[in-house]
Amino acid sequence: MKLRARPTRDPDEELVAHPVCYHGVQMRSTLEGRWACFFDSLSVPWSYERAGYRVEGQWRWPDFWLPDQSCYVEVKPRGFLPDEKLALGVAEASGSPLVWLAGEPYPGSYEATLFADAAEPPRANLRWALGRTDHAEIWLCDP
């Protein structure tokens, strides 16, 4: 089997999302489906586009709600910088933090940033980890 390097994407090229159905849930992109699979592999309950929030005059629907973690998750392709207005707007409107994930759900392949509220600066470069004593726990922590 030959391994090939993934071709570099032209930054001016428009990204096209490819819808996918995962466990009966129609998602807007395969990336969202991969993150749903990741959450399932860790036994983290999730719901897709659970609620919409009005942010700066537009309705925004965060990709995932993680009820056990009481937080929203927004998923974007690698290299997408967090949209702070969107993230803080959802966090403030919902009363729950938002985690911005950019990249694939594989070790070293994503950036995670936590937005809690406007009074607190965003926490960047976070990673998902299993609890040390209770592997049913999932943590978002500094590496």
Side-chain angles (χ1 to χ4, degrees):
M1 173 169 86
K2 281 188 173 181
L3 296 176
R4 292 186 210 152
R6 178 181 262 173
T8 305
R9 185 179 71 77
D10 178 355
D12 295 328
E13 177 186 344
E14 184 179 338
L15 286 176
V16 178
H18 299 282
V20 66
C21 187
Y22 177 74
H23 285 279
V25 177
Q26 187 66 40
M27 297 183 180
R28 298 177 195 272
S29 72
T30 54
L31 181 61
E32 292 169 346
R34 287 185 186 123
W35 278 102
C37 182
F38 171 81
F39 296 137
D40 281 349
S41 72
L42 296 175
S43 299
V44 173
W46 55 269
S47 60
Y48 182 71
E49 294 188 345
R50 170 182 166 238
Y53 297 94
R54 199 156 177 81
V55 178
E56 294 196 344
Q58 295 183 356
W59 282 97
R60 303 297 185 140
W61 297 82
D63 297 322
F64 295 99
W65 168 249
L66 307 183
D68 289 357
Q69 286 69 33
S70 297
C71 75
Y72 283 99
V73 175
E74 183 69 23
V75 174
K76 297 293 180 197
R78 188 177 182 98
F80 272 65
L81 296 176
D83 181 336
E84 290 192 33
K85 288 181 182 179
L86 164 67
L88 287 172
V90 168
E92 288 175 8
S94 68
S96 298
L98 183 136
V99 177
W100 184 277
L101 295 173
E104 302 282 339
Y106 311 117
S109 296
Y110 65 90
E111 298 291 327
T113 304
L114 176 67
F115 294 87
D117 61 49
E120 205 176 304
R123 298 198 53 198
N125 302 317
L126 303 174
R127 293 284 180 249
W128 294 108
L130 293 177
R132 289 184 182 186
T133 55
D134 182 355
H135 294 298
E137 292 181 346
I138 182 170
W139 295 74
L140 190 60
C141 53
D142 292 320

